[in-house]
Structure formats: structure tokens, C-alpha cells
């Protein structure tokens, strides 16, 4: 079992999902709902995020095959995408700016209200705020590194844990934002941005090492793993 890959994938996915950095945007879209509805929306959002991540993990490579895209090419392109996300986070910029927020109908059960609210914010909050080009690229690239069924199951568990972590943050979003404030949020965003930039560079190094074998020092590449 490649435990280093498991740890790396967990950190990478959590960084690119950026739950703390996305707290203000999530709150912006549910601020007019009751606390119970906010928590229900957070749980439904968590389930949606996991389903989307698992779908791209399982079928991502098949999609590449259909379009005739090689893994080295996807690694290089994906590295560039993740790098742009990381640089944007280092600059403290959000991936989405909201323009007007609608309120869900206040009728029906808590679940019905949450489901109605989620239908309004699934796009753009779940996609592309959480599940955007960077997270799709990351999960497909990590799927390519799974060489056994047990490793694939472990990676799916990693995605589940990452999604659950996002859920915990979203459920506690109002408390967290009140505690760390805007400055603390910006610090988290910039730190995660730096981690993403490093992961992006590693993806590009691995892509080049596959295209030009023997050129780069194998100590710093993971293309064969």
C-alpha cells in the first residue's frame, strides 16, 4: 500500500476543495435560511460533492481514452490548471463572485427547504466552487496512480473523508467564520494556495518525466507510481 500517495492525495484534495476558504461564499448563499436548514443544505452539499468526486474518479480515465488524451498530456494540462487555482488562492481571490442571492421557499419540512435551496446553489457552489477543473483534474490524476483494487478502494475512502471534512466545515461554517474572521480565512486560503502550487509543479514534473524519460532526476518524480 502506497501510504505516501494516500496522504498526498488527502492533502491535495483537501487543499483544492478549500473548505475554510469557501465558508464565506457558502454562508452568502444560505444566510437567509434558518440554522436547521443551513445544516441540512451543508449535508446535502457534502453528499453531492462526494458523488461528483467518485464519478470522476471511476470514469475519468475512460473519458480521457474516448478523447484520445494521454496521461502525460493530462498531467501537464492539469498541472497548469491547478497552478492557476493555487496562484489565485495565494492572491486571496475567490473562484466565484456572487451576484444576487435568492432565498428558498420557507414552506415544507427542513429537508424540503434544504433540497430547494440546494437546487438553487448546486451551481455555482458545488460546481465549480468545490468541484471545478482543478479538483476534477486532481482526482483523475490520482485515479491513474491506483494500480490495484485495494488502492482504488482506499482512494475512494480518501474522497469520502475529504467530502466529510468539507461537510463538517460547512455545518460549522457560521461558528468557524465568526472565530477566525476574514483575516484568518485569508491566511488559510494563501497557505492552501501554496500547497496547491507545489502539487501542480509535481504533476508537471511527472508529466515531463514520462514524455522525456531519463532527463529528470528520478528521485523527484512519481510518474511510475
Amino acid at each position: 500500500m502506497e501510504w505516501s500517495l494516500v496522504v498526498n492525495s488527502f492533502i491535495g484534495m483537501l487543499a483544492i476543495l478549500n473548505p475554510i476558504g469557501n465558508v464565506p461564499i457558502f454562508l452568502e448563499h444560505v444566510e437567509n435560511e434558518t440554522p436547521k436548514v443551513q445544516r441540512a443544505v451543508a449535508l446535502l452539499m457534502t453528499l453531492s460533492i462526494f458523488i461528483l468526486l467518485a464519478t470522476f474518479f471511476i470514469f475519468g480515465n475512460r473519458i480521457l481514452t474516448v478523447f484520445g488524451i494521454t496521461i502525460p498530456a493530462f498531467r501537464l494540462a492539469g498541472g497548469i490548471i491547478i497552478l492557476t487555482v493555487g496562484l489565485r488562492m495565494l492572491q486571496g481571490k475567490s473562484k466565484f463572485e456572487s451576484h444576487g442571492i435568492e432565498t428558498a421557499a420557507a414552506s415544507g419540512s427542513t429537508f424540503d427547504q434544504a433540497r430547494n435551496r440546494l437546487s438553487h446553489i448546486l451551481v455555482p457552489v458545488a460546481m465549480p466552487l468545490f468541484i471545478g477543473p482543478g479538483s476534477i483534474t486532481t482526482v483523475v490524476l490520482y485515479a491513474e496512480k491506483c494500480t490495484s483494487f485495494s488502492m482504488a478502494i482506499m482512494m475512494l475512502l480518501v474522497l469520502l473523508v475529504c467530502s466529510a471534512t468539507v461537510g463538517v466545515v460547512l455545518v460549522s461554517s457560521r461558528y468557524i467564520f465568526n472565530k477566525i474572521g476574514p483575516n484568518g480565512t485569508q491566511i488559510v486560503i494563501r497557505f492552501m494556495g501554496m500547497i496547491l502550487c507545489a502539487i501542480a509543479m509535481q504533476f508537471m514534473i511527472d508529466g515531463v518525466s514520462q514524455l522525456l524519460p531519463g532527463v529528470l532526476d528520478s528521485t523527484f518524480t512519481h510518474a511510475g507510481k
Side-chain angles (χ1 to χ4, degrees):
M1 183 72 69
E2 289 285 351
W3 290 108
S4 61
L5 178 60
V6 172
V7 174
N8 182 269
S9 61
F10 174 75
I11 295 173
M13 284 307 306
L14 203 57
I16 205 162
L17 288 172
N18 189 22
I20 297 293
N22 289 327
V23 159
I25 302 172
F26 173 75
L27 286 176
E28 225 179 352
H29 286 80
V30 296
E31 62 180 353
N32 295 323
E33 308 298 337
T34 64
K36 287 182 66 176
V37 173
Q38 288 182 12
R39 290 191 291 269
V41 171
L43 293 175
L44 290 175
M45 181 77 70
T46 300
L47 180 61
S48 301
I49 289 171
F50 174 69
I51 291 174
L52 289 169
L53 288 176
T55 299
F56 285 113
F57 178 82
I58 295 170
F59 298 108
N61 278 316
R62 293 180 177 87
I63 295 172
L64 294 185
T65 301
V66 168
F67 287 98
I69 302 172
T70 63
I71 290 299
F74 196 73
R75 274 181 165 159
L76 289 171
I80 294 171
I81 292 172
I82 298 172
L83 182 62
T84 58
V85 174
L87 290 174
R88 190 183 302 120
M89 290 169 65
L90 280 173
Q91 295 168 2
K93 296 180 180 179
S94 300
K95 289 184 278 185
F96 171 74
E97 300 291 340
S98 65
H99 299 282
I101 301 168
E102 300 176 359
T103 305
S107 59
S109 65
T110 298
F111 178 77
D112 289 335
Q113 293 180 54
R115 187 174 56 183
N116 184 39
R117 176 75 278 181
L118 183 68
S119 68
H120 286 83
I121 68 173
L122 194 61
V123 176
V125 179
M127 290 186 72
L129 189 63
F130 285 104
I131 311 299
S135 54
I136 293 172
T137 299
T138 303
V139 77
V140 171
L141 289 175
Y142 280 124
E144 185 269 337
K145 294 185 178 183
C146 293
T147 55
S148 64
F149 180 75
S150 61
M151 193 66 201
I153 295 298
M154 184 61 69
M155 291 297 293
L156 284 173
L157 288 176
V158 167
L159 296 181
L160 179 61
V161 173
C162 286
S163 302
T165 303
V166 172
V168 170
V169 172
L170 293 183
V171 168
S172 312
S173 56
R174 193 166 296 281
Y175 174 81
I176 292 172
F177 188 64
N178 288 337
K179 284 296 182 181
I180 68 176
N183 291 335
T185 301
Q186 288 300 315
I187 291 172
V188 173
I189 290 174
R190 284 172 167 79
F191 176 74
M192 291 301 189
M194 182 176 64
I195 296 294
L196 279 186
C197 287
I199 290 174
M201 293 305 299
Q202 187 64 59
F203 278 150
M204 287 190 279
I205 289 172
D206 292 345
V208 172
S209 68
Q210 280 186 293
L211 291 171
L212 304 171
V215 174
L216 299 179
D217 188 340
S218 59
T219 306
F220 303 105
T221 63
H222 306 95
K225 294 182 180 180

